[in-house]
Amino acid sequence: KITINMAPADLRKEGSAYDLTLAIGILISSGQIKADDVDQYLIMGELSLDGSLQPIKGALPIAIKAREEKYKGFILPAQNAREAAIVDGLEVYGVDNISQVIDFFNEGKPLEPTIVDTRDEFFQALEHPEFDFADVKGQESIKRCMEIAAAGGHNIILIGPPGAGKTMLAKRLPSILPPMTLHEALETTKIHSVAGRTQEKVGLMAQRPFRSPHHTISDVALVGGGAYPQPGEISLSHNGVLFLDELPEFKRTVLEVMRQPLEDREVTISRAKFTVTYPSSFMLVASMNPSPGGYFNDPDAPVQSSPAEMQRYLSKVSGPLLDRIDIHIEVTPVPFEKLTEERQAEKSTEIRKRVTAARDVQTARFRFRESE
């Protein structure tokens, strides 16, 4: 029999990230390989039956802890290497197979360290947003409202008929928010790392997250939870935007659990044995139709709704939740003449400059008040 004790014993271990750790430990203790300096390395990875390694969750927080504990190096699957290499002062080795790890310890075959220039990678990604406001024809007043919301970090709701461009506008909001600081980017990447949502070829997240959950989402999936609590959508959108399309279609219980996180900017998940707090400082952007049919006050509407249907539809969103949404915007369809215009709309990078300037003014104002 082989008995493996991983201290502290009272803290439950879960997942397959310890496969490589256990395998190397067994090989060393049974004398099959020699590794005199194994205690200087942190080893993590999921092991396949053919010896290849699969990615793990939480590589970035683990790497930060490894540096705190004064480990020399961190050996982990190659898919997680760029993520862990964000941490300086720690040698990070991405490996594809257990045989590479065995040869490294047993025969001294060198492993190629993964090196990431965090600052260079971070600043390169800032000026190339995926979605741009230049793609939106017309809707100048709506863009102005969204610029004001971005400058003040206000929650907003877009109300308008289908096809007015609510979703298109919401997707472009992160592109005009001020660039993330290096500290915000690190904090956001840590949350996505814990949830296993980081991209393989991207080390540090430089763009603000945009999360758009489907209206069938459960309250646990939105705020986080489970037997061993994982971050929910509100934490995955930390430092970014949470977009709830067709707000009245979400279950009322799901919407109500957002009240406290919207106020406190963090969510606490309590279980019998422990409590976990995840940050959730996000901008809430919601959209909805003005009526069940979607064409309220339109004389040529294909569908008309009765007052009772209207009341039932609008009552799905509670007053306390609407009270936490600062700006309500009415979105009207864009006329055909505007859609066919050749004139180029203003780019997101130009709008972002004004938003950043407004935030700088607010920062200076609050700093002055504190000094008083």
Side-chain angles (χ1 to χ4, degrees):
K1 289 183 179 179
I2 297 173
T3 304
I4 298 172
N5 176 35
M6 299 176 72
D10 63 327
L11 185 65
R12 182 184 172 91
K13 320 299 186 299
E14 65 159 2
S16 51
Y18 304 103
D19 291 357
L20 183 61
T21 319
L22 299 173
I24 296 297
I26 292 168
L27 289 171
I28 294 169
S29 58
S30 61
Q32 296 181 60
I33 64 171
K34 292 179 181 178
D36 298 329
D37 58 346
V38 71
D39 58 336
Q40 298 178 33
Y41 293 89
L42 189 67
I43 304 170
M44 301 287 281
E46 178 186 325
L47 204 54
S48 296
L49 292 174
D50 62 355
S52 61
L53 295 178
Q54 301 300 322
I56 61 171
K57 291 182 181 180
L60 179 57
I62 294 168
I64 292 170
K65 187 67 176 175
R67 183 179 62 182
E68 287 176 12
E69 298 288 336
K70 302 291 190 291
Y71 281 96
K72 179 184 175 183
F74 185 12
I75 297 171
L76 76 169
Q79 295 96 318
N80 299 115
R82 288 187 65 80
E83 182 187 329
I86 293 168
V87 180
D88 57 357
L90 181 73
E91 295 174 9
V92 175
Y93 301 104
V95 292
D96 297 306
N97 199 289
I98 189 174
S99 59
Q100 292 175 258
V101 185
I102 293 169
D103 292 343
F104 174 70
F105 285 117
N106 201 33
E107 299 176 17
K109 282 190 179 179
L111 290 172
E112 185 71 32
T114 303
I115 299 168
V116 173
D117 187 337
T118 306
R119 290 185 178 276
D120 182 56
E121 188 175 281
F122 175 68
F123 290 113
Q124 269 187 0
L126 287 181
E127 293 303 316
H128 304 286
E130 187 179 355
F131 299 105
D132 200 300
F133 265 109
D135 304 329
V136 182
K137 301 280 188 180
Q139 302 290 27
E140 303 304 330
S141 61
I142 315 300
K143 289 182 192 174
R144 179 64 179 161
C145 287
M146 298 195 86
E147 183 181 332
I148 293 166
H154 301 297
N155 301 321
I156 55 176
I157 184 167
L158 307 167
I159 305 169
K166 302 186 294 295
T167 305
M168 187 178 185
L169 285 158
K171 280 186 177 178
R172 280 151 181 76
L173 182 60
S175 68
I176 65 169
L177 290 172
M180 283 201 287
T181 63
L182 211 53
H183 173 73
E184 285 178 329
L186 191 63
E187 192 176 40
T188 306
T189 308
K190 280 198 310 194
I191 296 168
H192 283 251
S193 176
V194 168
R197 302 290 180 89
T198 50
Q199 296 176 15
E200 184 182 330
K201 294 182 180 178
V202 178
L204 194 66
M205 288 180 63
Q207 302 286 359
R208 291 188 180 272
F210 178 86
R211 305 294 300 180
S212 179
H214 192 258
H215 65 261
T216 55
I217 191 171
S218 68
D219 48 0
V220 170
L222 187 69
V223 300
Y228 297 94
Q230 290 287 303
E233 289 292 335
I234 63 172
S235 295
L236 291 171
S237 56
H238 179 60
N239 290 325
V241 174
L242 177 67
F243 177 49
L244 302 182
D245 202 3
E246 303 299 342
L247 189 67
E249 299 299 330
F250 284 79
K251 293 191 284 288
R252 191 178 178 114
T253 53
V254 171
L255 296 178
E256 294 309 301
V257 295
M258 283 202 306
R259 285 196 204 175
Q260 179 258 336
L262 278 169
E263 290 285 340
D264 298 343
R265 299 295 177 184
E266 63 180 24
V267 59
T268 302
I269 304 160
S270 298
R271 291 293 176 266
K273 291 185 178 180
F274 54 87
T275 300
V276 179
T277 299
Y278 287 119
S280 60
S281 180
F282 60 90
M283 266 186 72
L284 174 64
V285 181
S287 75
M288 61 181 286
N289 295 326
S291 64
Y295 298 92
F296 178 63
N297 273 356
D298 186 346
D300 303 320
V303 180
Q304 296 286 353
S305 302
S306 69
E309 288 174 328
M310 289 275 296
Q311 185 61 38
R312 189 162 54 248
Y313 178 75
L314 296 174
S315 66
K316 288 183 179 180
V317 185
S318 71
L321 181 63
L322 284 175
D323 190 48
R324 287 165 170 80
I325 300 176
D326 311 301
I327 300 177
H328 296 220
I329 309 172
E330 187 178 343
V331 185
T332 53
V334 182
F336 178 74
E337 296 76 26
K338 283 272 187 186
L339 285 173
T340 53
E341 269 186 355
E342 293 295 325
R343 185 169 61 90
Q344 184 70 28
E346 193 174 26
K347 288 184 175 293
S348 288
T349 48
E350 296 301 315
I351 303 172
R352 177 191 270 173
K353 287 175 186 174
R354 295 197 297 269
V355 171
T356 306
R359 292 252 180 136
D360 290 342
V361 169
Q362 293 172 76
T363 304
R365 183 193 304 142
F366 288 123
R367 192 183 297 125
F368 176 72
R369 283 183 181 174
E370 285 171 7
S371 63
E372 289 180 339

